[in-house]
Amino acid sequence: MHQPLVDYHCHLDLFPNYEAAFAECRRGAIEVLTVTTTPRAWQKNVELAAGSQSIRVGLGLHPQLVAEGHAEIDLFESLLARSRYVAEVGLDGGARFYKTLPAQRIVFERVLRACSAQGGKILSIHAVRTAREVVSMLRTHLPERRARAVFHWFAGSVSEAKAAAEVGCFFSINSQMLRTESSREVVASLPLGRVLTETDAPFTETAGASSKPSDVYSTLKAAAPLFGIDASALQARVWENVQELERFEYP
Ligand code: MN
């Protein structure tokens, strides 16, 4: 049985040689969600992925760019009807972006409301020091029956992960999340039926080099023991989870 690798959050368009990155994903047995940081980049990415069944393209408005790209929420909303995938969006409360949080909240609320109005969307969410607030905004503005949300690079606590799982969230895990004992503990606490893999490439490193989508294999190897299974069983499980996630249609 065909069990592809899954990279459910990467930035193929930000690779130095992005055309080669897209071409490699077309050739390889790998399923990817490539995300955009601005809605202006979305159309080009759709063209680069055209004809591929295995490359999904997310329409995004990165919270780190909200201070300079606030106005792009209008463009995001106008493109949304054409995109099943929304990525990446969210809230960044880290030291560098903390002061733009009020603007980020306005933008993210509009994203969630628009997704709720249209229904059937799959979101990949960036949340830095904001897991609890993101869960509460999902609860208020985007009911589970209207969309599915994936926490990308989840950086919250065990109890925040539990709260996210309770509102139906999935989690895409990467190698950086397996580096410290406390983050490994969070990964181990995730419900296995909600676990996906990702690289956030090219922004992470694998074996000292900039990551590429196929590096999810090293994440499978490192994460599998946390779930008491081997890498190939986790690989199969992640692919089942993607299929379950994507079977979602709104009522
Ligand atoms: Mn990202």
Side-chain angles (χ1 to χ4, degrees):
M1 209 166 121
H2 177 60
Q3 307 286 8
L5 291 169
V6 172
D7 185 352
Y8 221 72
H9 186 113
C10 59
H11 297 256
L12 295 183
D13 65 345
L14 299 182
F15 277 67
N17 187 345
Y18 63 88
E19 283 166 322
F22 273 87
E24 195 176 327
C25 287
R26 282 175 190 279
R27 274 195 310 274
I30 184 151
E31 298 283 333
V32 304
L33 169 61
T34 187
V35 308
T36 55
T37 56
T38 148
R40 265 178 298 147
W42 180 76
Q43 182 62 43
K44 173 87 189 279
N45 277 269
V46 168
E47 286 159 19
L48 286 162
S52 168
Q53 298 295 307
S54 58
I55 307 177
R56 302 147 185 80
V57 177
L59 172 66
L61 180 41
H62 200 297
Q64 293 177 350
L65 301 180
V66 159
E68 54 195 85
H70 197 165
E72 288 192 50
I73 183 65
D74 296 328
L75 178 59
F76 174 94
E77 287 170 343
S78 72
L79 294 172
L80 183 62
R82 293 163 55 198
S83 189
R84 168 132 159 107
Y85 300 92
V86 174
E88 68 180 294
V89 293
L91 294 178
D92 192 314
R96 278 180 66 203
F97 302 100
Y98 187 80
K99 58 183 182 308
T100 68
L101 262 179
Q104 293 181 44
R105 288 190 183 102
I106 292 167
V107 167
F108 189 46
E109 182 178 327
R110 279 178 66 175
V111 166
L112 297 179
R113 285 173 175 274
C115 289
S116 181
Q118 292 186 15
K121 306 299 185 190
I122 294 171
L123 287 73
S124 178
I125 295 179
H126 170 112
V128 172
R129 294 189 196 163
T130 52
R132 205 168 291 280
E133 182 171 2
V134 165
V135 168
S136 134
M137 287 181 74
L138 286 171
R139 213 181 259 125
T140 309
H141 302 296
L142 187 59
E144 196 184 337
R145 66 180 190 282
R146 301 296 295 161
R148 287 261 176 98
V150 181
F151 266 94
H152 128 72
W153 198 333
F154 186 79
S157 64
V158 169
S159 71
E160 287 168 336
K162 188 161 177 275
E166 278 166 8
V167 296
C169 292
F170 285 66
F171 303 85
S172 54
I173 61 173
N174 65 39
S175 58
Q176 320 287 313
M177 293 169 65
L178 301 167
R179 291 208 170 153
T180 69
E181 201 46 55
S182 61
S183 60
R184 290 166 61 85
E185 196 184 313
V186 173
V187 171
S189 79
L190 301 175
L192 189 52
R194 301 283 182 79
V195 171
L196 311 176
T197 45
E198 64 153 73
T199 58
D200 206 16
F203 298 119
T204 54
E205 286 197 350
T206 304
S210 180
S211 299
K212 53 190 188 307
S214 57
D215 291 328
V216 289
Y217 191 67
S218 65
T219 299
L220 288 170
K221 279 195 294 189
L226 299 175
F227 299 107
I229 55 179
D230 66 20
S232 68
L234 184 56
Q235 181 174 340
R237 189 61 200 254
V238 165
W239 177 233
E240 272 175 43
N241 293 346
V242 169
Q243 292 171 296
E244 168 60 27
L245 170 69
E246 296 186 344
R247 258 195 293 278
F248 165 71
E249 296 289 341
Y250 64 99

